[in-house]
Every structure is written in C-alpha cells, then in structure tokens.
Amino acid sequence: MKNKITNFVLYLHNMYNNSKIKYKLITIISIIMLICLLFTVVGFQFAFNMYDQQIYRKSSQVLIMSSKQIEDELTNIEELSFNILKDSVLQSHLTRTKEEISKYEQFQIESEIWEKLTSFIGNEKYIQSIYLYDQSGREYRAGSNHSKRIDKMKDVLIDKAVGGNGSNVWVSDAKTNNYIYSTRQIKAYKNLSLEFLATLIIEVNLDEIIKELPKVWDGHEGGIIISNRQGPFYREENIFNYEHLVYSTADSQGYFIQKVKGRSFFITYFQSPYSDWTYWNIIPFGSMFAKVTAMKYIVIFIFLLLYSGAIFLAVKFSRHITNPIENLVSSMKNVQQGDFNISETLKLHDYGEKDEVGILHHNFYTMIERINELIKENYEKQLLIKDTEFKALQSQINPHFLYNTLESINWLAKINKQQQISNMVESLGYLLRNAISIKEDVITLREEIEIVNHYVTIQKFRFEERLNFNLYIDEQVLDCKLPKLIIQPLVENSINYGLESMIECCHISVSAYKADGNIHLIVEDNGVGIDENQISKIIKGNVNSKGNGIGIKNIDSRIKLVFGEEYGVKIESTLNLGTKVIIVIPCETR
C-alpha cells in the first residue's frame, strides 16, 4: 500500500513537472483556493457545532421549564381530585346512593352532585369534564358533552383506579387524541370505614396546557412530543413524521440529530420522574438553519465566483507569458527537423516586451538568422568544392577523344562482322555518356531503364547463359521522375553479390508499378542472400561496395534528399534463397 501511494505521488509530481506553465499556474491557484475553502468549511463546521450547543442549552432549559409547568398544572388537578374525594357533600350523597331511595331522591342527589362537580371545575380551563361512577355503575358527569373517549377508556380507567387504591393515577394513551386522565377511588372516611363509594375520572385537555408553554423555535414546524414506556401519547399538530422517530435514549437528558424521510431533525429530550414521562422537543433543521444554510450557499457562490475570476486572470496572465514561449517552442521543433527558414514566422509573432521572455524571443530570432547565414555560406562553399572536383575529374579524360575512339572500334567491329563487339561498344558508349553528363541529376524511369538495359547487355556478353534478366515495367510509370542511377547500381549489386557467388543460373528481375500515388521499384535475385546483421550494416553505410560502385546507403540518401524522409530503400533477404530491394518514391512527371 505504501509503495502504491509513493508511486502515485511520483506520478503526480512527474505529471506536474511535464505540464505546461499555464496548467502549472492554474494548478497552484486551484490548490490555494481549495485550501482556503477547506479552512472555510472547517470554520463553518466549528461554528455549526457551537450553534448546536447553544440551541441544545436553550431548548433544554425551555424543555425543563415546560415540563415543570405542565407538571405544576397536573399537580393542581391532583389537588382538585383530592378536594373532590374529601368533600363532605359528595361523601354524603355517594353514601346515600347505597341505600334504598326513591327516584325523586335519586334525581335530587344527581342534581346536587352535578352542581358540586361543576363548582369544582370553575375556572379550570384545562379540565374537559369530571366523571363519577358509583358502586352500582351509575354515572355522574359535569363539564362538556358526553365523551366517547370515556366510554372506550372506562374499564381501563376504573382498573387503574383500583390499582391506585385511593391514590391518584394518571392514564395516557396515543388513541385518546391528546387527552390524559386523572383517576382515583373515592372511599368513605366517616368512622374511617374506607368503604368504596365511587371512581373519580377527570379528563384533561393537554393541548390547552401545551399552548401556554414558551416556544423554543419561532418556525411553523416542530414542537413538543410526550411519551411513556408504550411510546408517544401526545404531539403538537405541526409535527410531521413523528411516528418514524426513535424514542429510546440511554441518558435522562440530551440531544441528537435524526434523519427521517430525507429530512433532518434536531431533537432535545428530558426524562421526568413525574409519571415516568419523557418530553421531546423536535426542531426541523430546515427551519432552524435556514439563514445559516443560505449563508453557506452564498459563501460557496462567492468562492466559485472568486475561483472563476482567479482562473480567468491566471489564464490571461499565463497566455501573456506562454503564447510567446509556445511560438518559440514550435519554431525550435521546426529547427530540430531541419527547417531553418523560420525568421519570417518569428517576425510575425514578434514579442515586443523587454522582459525575460522578450529577450529569449529576440535572442533566438538572432541565433536563427545567424545559423541561416552560416548554412548558406557553407552550402555555397560545398557547391564550389564539388564543382571544382568534378571539373578536375572531367579534365582527366577528353570525352570527345573517348567517344571518337569507341566509334572507331564500333565501325571496325561492324566491318569485321563482330556484332557482339559492336553491341558492347555501343552500350559502353551510352553508359559513359550518361555517367559523365552533368546536365540533369533527375531523369525519367524510361531513361533509367535504358541505362539498365545497356549495362545488362555488356554483362550478358560476360556471363552468357548464367545471367537471366527480366523487366516487368508498368507503362504508366515510365514518365515518372527519379534520381539518376538508382536502379543500375542495384542490378550491379545483384550481379556482384549474387551471380558471381553462384554456379547455376542467376535470375535477376526489375519490376515497377504504381500504388497509392507512389512508384514501387523492385530489384530481385535468387542469389545467396544476406543475413540480418549484414542488412543493418548496409543500410547504415558500414559496408563498402565492390570496386568503386554506388552503395545502397548512397541511393537511400539521394532519394530522401530529393523526395523526403518517408521515402527510401528497403531490403528483404533470406539466406540461400535470394534478395529483394524495394524502392518507394512518389510518382512525379514534372
């Protein structure tokens, strides 16, 4: 793993070193901007954590205050239930219900109990209704209309009261629509008989109590949830998705952040010893951090704007530096390929500044002009030297004397009817005229083939049946131009290295055809062949040709000089099977 990381770092380092200056500048600015963004994000995160702590402290304080206020109200209701329990009028009437009384007396008792219960409700705005159930199951009620909730909860409430054995019991359930119930047994305290008289049930509207509590958050969402061991039994109306929240905690007080259906909630909780309830304060993150989130996006937008501006200025500034350098690099590549005629191009991109780049640009331009002058001077000197050497060579032999002598030999051979001698002399004269002539260095393929034919004519008189020569020339390439004496030396090599090393007949063929706009010239023999190492030496010019002939390296160089580096000579050979020399040049007729 460590080696992979090291290799990756080295790869990035090399990639950075090999990249252009403008990309390096953009990379450095991007790294600086990203570091600034990182510090900004860390600062934001630290601020958010501090903000979370502040909200937790505030919400915890409010939650504890709210729970205390709720429990104070419930304590008041407990005291009210105790006052009802010990009221002498109710004790008397409930005791009489156990006796045999008339319907009128029963009606009178019900009226007085209702009046008494109504007086107890008084200004208690949180009490929805008060119910009494005597030992016969008869119901006495004061407050709002008859509640179906009491009908459903009656048996449970009575059972809870029995379990309380005279003490107050709070009953809460999620099905009671935010209502809770205080229930207890009323027993006769006259003579301390503690005889069961009735079951007291007080229905309390918890919503009315909650509405009076201070709000932790001013948003439209969030609020308080109250739960017991069975789960939540009360929630404010503007809390959504409360059923998906987790209502289990390890501590008696704290906070956490929970995500429900793609939304995050900030939840503070407090476990109260009163009735074993837990109070939950739910605040949606969207409401709580609306301004903070907006500010975060504004900062990100400003960062992107600054980053784009910095990159724009970096690119513009880098172009001011790199464009002249890139033009200079392009010119250097042309010089590397041998093109020194770039002074006019450099003038078009003349960099007028006098800074380091301008000085480099000016010095390179001056250097190229000086190199051009030196090349021109050297070229003229080489031409003069070659011309002098060639004229010195020509002066050694008088061409007219040589031609006249050959004509005399040819005339004498014809008089004596020696046709072979006559043909040889004619071919030799043609070869000498073409070899010595300096009018043109580029001739047509037709003229080159004629030179080859005259050369082969002379060689056939020498080798007779041992030499089998064939021509396969496509007529459409006969007028194409090629450097003088590039096929004849190859035929000569086939004879020198192939025929002279063989006892049997040597087959030499010259073929020419056109393909893809190029001429393909092939000289092939069935000689002894050449091994790969020898071919490599021949191509590099490390092997001298027999006698004073023209080597393959010389032919290849002349072709490249005239037509370009993509053209030249290729050798294919197999030992004891033969050799094939392939020349590819463009088909040019002018």
Side-chain angles (χ1 to χ4, degrees):
M1 185 65 183
K2 186 177 180 181
N3 291 334
K4 289 183 178 179
I5 295 174
T6 304
N7 292 335
F8 181 70
V9 171
L10 289 175
Y11 169 76
L12 292 178
H13 183 265
N14 293 332
M15 187 170 66
Y16 174 80
N17 288 337
N18 296 329
S19 61
K20 295 183 178 180
I21 294 176
K22 59 184 177 183
Y23 297 132
K24 289 181 179 179
L25 188 59
I26 291 172
T27 301
I28 292 172
I29 291 176
S30 299
I31 291 173
I32 293 173
M33 295 297 289
L34 288 174
I35 291 173
C36 293
L37 179 62
L38 180 62
F39 277 108
T40 303
V41 170
V42 171
F44 263 115
Q45 191 62 40
F46 178 75
F48 289 160
N49 290 335
M50 295 296 294
Y51 193 43
D52 288 349
Q53 293 292 331
Q54 292 296 328
I55 292 175
Y56 164 64
R57 292 191 187 98
K58 179 184 176 183
S59 58
S60 294
Q61 292 172 0
V62 174
L63 194 61
I64 293 171
M65 290 172 57
S66 298
S67 64
K68 187 175 184 309
Q69 188 172 335
I70 292 171
E71 291 168 3
D72 286 344
E73 295 296 338
L74 298 182
T75 301
N76 292 335
I77 295 172
E78 283 188 30
E79 292 178 359
L80 177 66
S81 69
F82 182 74
N83 291 333
I84 294 172
L85 176 148
K86 67 178 184 177
D87 186 80
S88 58
V89 176
L90 290 176
Q91 285 275 332
S92 174
H93 289 315
L94 291 173
T95 302
R96 286 185 61 196
T97 59
K98 300 174 64 175
E99 301 172 359
E100 292 290 335
I101 56 176
S102 63
K103 290 183 179 181
Y104 173 76
E105 289 176 327
Q106 181 63 39
F107 174 76
Q108 189 177 15
I109 290 172
E110 288 178 3
S111 298
E112 291 179 2
I113 289 177
W114 176 83
E115 289 178 1
K116 197 63 178 177
L117 293 178
T118 302
S119 68
F120 277 111
I121 292 177
N123 295 324
E124 296 289 341
K125 58 182 178 180
Y126 307 128
I127 296 177
Q128 190 76 10
S129 57
I130 299 176
Y131 289 80
L132 282 176
Y133 295 95
D134 63 15
Q135 58 185 351
S136 301
R138 192 178 293 112
E139 179 184 293
Y140 305 91
R141 176 178 57 83
S144 62
N145 297 329
H146 184 76
S147 173
K148 293 182 178 179
R149 295 183 294 274
I150 293 294
D151 292 339
K152 294 179 181 179
M153 296 283 295
K154 177 181 175 182
D155 294 337
V156 174
L157 293 171
I158 292 173
D159 289 341
K160 292 289 185 181
V162 172
N165 194 25
S167 61
N168 182 76
V169 178
W170 284 103
V171 180
S172 56
D173 191 272
K175 299 177 182 179
T176 58
N177 295 327
N178 303 333
Y179 288 90
I180 59 175
Y181 303 92
S182 170
T183 181
R184 72 194 310 166
Q185 287 184 334
I186 299 177
K187 296 183 179 182
Y189 60 83
K190 188 176 181 180
N191 299 323
L192 298 177
S193 64
L194 299 179
E195 181 182 3
F196 172 74
L197 298 178
T199 300
L200 171 65
I201 298 174
I202 302 175
E203 186 177 37
V204 180
N205 189 342
L206 197 53
D207 259 338
E208 295 297 327
I209 301 176
I210 300 297
K211 286 178 183 178
E212 302 295 327
L213 301 178
K215 295 293 183 181
V216 180
W217 194 254
D218 296 330
H220 299 291
E221 296 183 83
I224 290 178
I225 291 178
I226 306 176
S227 66
N228 53 22
R229 293 181 180 179
Q230 287 73 39
F233 62 85
Y234 171 81
R235 72 177 179 90
E236 289 192 76
E237 294 180 355
N238 54 348
I239 298 180
F240 302 101
N241 299 322
Y242 76 97
E243 63 274 4
H244 298 286
L245 297 173
V246 177
Y247 297 97
S248 60
T249 58
D251 302 322
S252 61
Q253 184 178 353
Y255 77 99
F256 58 90
I257 298 170
Q258 189 174 150
K259 198 166 187 177
V260 179
K261 292 187 175 180
R263 297 186 62 188
S264 296
F265 294 88
F266 187 89
I267 302 173
T268 309
Y269 62 90
F270 170 71
Q271 290 182 356
S272 172
Y274 185 85
S275 300
D276 199 19
W277 288 354
T278 302
Y279 296 87
W280 308 80
N281 191 22
I282 315 296
I283 306 175
F285 250 91
S287 300
M288 186 171 62
F289 288 102
K291 293 181 180 179
V292 177
T293 303
M295 182 58 65
K296 179 175 67 175
Y297 285 122
I298 289 172
V299 170
I300 292 174
F301 174 76
I302 293 174
F303 169 79
L304 293 176
L305 195 64
L306 291 174
Y307 178 75
S308 301
I311 294 299
F312 173 77
L313 292 176
V315 171
K316 190 173 181 180
F317 178 72
S318 64
R319 281 180 179 175
H320 185 69
I321 297 176
T322 58
N323 282 357
I325 294 177
E326 288 177 357
N327 292 331
L328 207 57
V329 170
S330 177
S331 301
M332 288 179 178
K333 287 182 179 178
N334 292 334
V335 171
Q336 185 180 5
Q337 294 173 0
D339 181 13
F340 289 88
N341 298 317
I342 58 174
S343 58
E344 294 299 325
T345 304
L346 287 173
K347 286 181 180 178
L348 291 175
H349 299 287
D350 189 19
Y351 189 74
E353 301 292 338
K354 299 303 181 182
D355 56 12
E356 291 84 350
V357 179
I359 294 172
L360 181 64
H361 197 271
H362 176 74
N363 290 344
F364 182 73
Y365 168 74
T366 304
M367 181 186 69
I368 293 301
E369 280 196 332
R370 181 58 183 156
I371 290 175
N372 269 330
E373 291 175 0
L374 292 174
I375 290 175
K376 186 176 180 181
E377 290 176 3
N378 185 62
Y379 180 70
E380 290 175 351
K381 288 179 181 179
Q382 291 297 325
L383 285 179
L384 182 61
I385 291 171
K386 286 187 177 181
D387 184 61
T388 303
E389 290 177 348
F390 191 71
K391 287 181 179 178
L393 179 64
Q394 282 185 314
S395 65
Q396 295 177 7
I397 302 174
N398 190 327
H400 295 288
F401 171 76
L402 183 60
Y403 296 154
N404 291 335
T405 303
L406 290 174
E407 286 295 328
S408 298
I409 296 173
N410 184 29
W411 178 76
L412 184 61
K414 287 182 178 181
I415 289 177
N416 291 284
K417 297 181 181 181
Q418 296 294 325
Q419 189 61 39
Q420 290 183 340
I421 297 174
S422 175
N423 291 339
M424 289 180 68
V425 170
E426 287 178 355
S427 296
L428 179 60
Y430 184 87
L431 291 175
L432 288 174
R433 279 193 299 272
N434 279 279
I436 296 174
S437 175
I438 60 171
K439 292 181 180 178
E440 289 184 359
D441 188 51
V442 178
I443 61 176
T444 63
L445 179 60
R446 189 188 306 275
E447 293 171 326
E448 180 73 8
I449 294 301
E450 190 172 355
I451 293 173
V452 172
N453 280 328
H454 282 287
Y455 173 78
V456 172
T457 297
I458 295 172
Q459 296 298 332
K460 279 188 174 181
F461 286 117
R462 177 185 174 190
F463 294 103
E464 299 181 344
E465 291 82 15
R466 288 182 60 206
L467 173 61
N468 181 11
F469 179 77
N470 294 290
L471 286 171
Y472 305 97
I473 309 299
D474 189 349
E475 290 186 0
Q476 64 176 335
V477 300
L478 287 174
D479 295 325
C480 293
K481 298 285 187 178
L482 73 165
K484 187 177 181 180
L485 294 178
I486 64 170
I487 299 179
Q488 183 271 331
L490 298 178
V491 175
E492 183 178 352
N493 285 340
S494 294
I495 292 173
N496 290 338
Y497 296 100
L499 176 60
E500 290 185 358
S501 302
M502 297 173 61
I503 298 175
E504 62 272 12
C505 179
C506 179
H507 298 277
I508 300 174
S509 66
V510 176
S511 58
Y513 62 90
K514 186 177 181 181
D516 300 326
N518 296 326
I519 305 175
H520 292 256
L521 300 171
I522 301 172
V523 178
E524 189 174 9
D525 65 66
N526 64 337
V528 295
I530 311 171
D531 61 32
E532 291 183 2
N533 293 331
Q534 191 72 4
I535 290 175
S536 178
K537 292 180 180 179
I538 292 172
I539 292 296
K540 293 178 180 178
N542 296 330
V543 177
N544 295 325
S545 60
K546 289 184 178 181
N548 296 317
I550 299 174
I552 289 179
K553 174 63 178 176
N554 179 279
I555 297 171
D556 184 69
S557 298
R558 288 164 59 208
I559 292 172
K560 284 180 167 55
L561 181 64
V562 175
F563 298 112
E565 290 294 324
E566 63 269 31
Y567 301 101
V569 179
K570 180 181 177 182
I571 301 175
E572 296 178 359
S573 183
T574 304
L575 289 175
N576 300 321
L577 292 179
T579 302
K580 181 191 291 186
V581 181
I582 303 168
I583 297 175
V584 179
I585 58 175
C587 184
E588 298 178 356
T589 57
R590 292 186 297 174

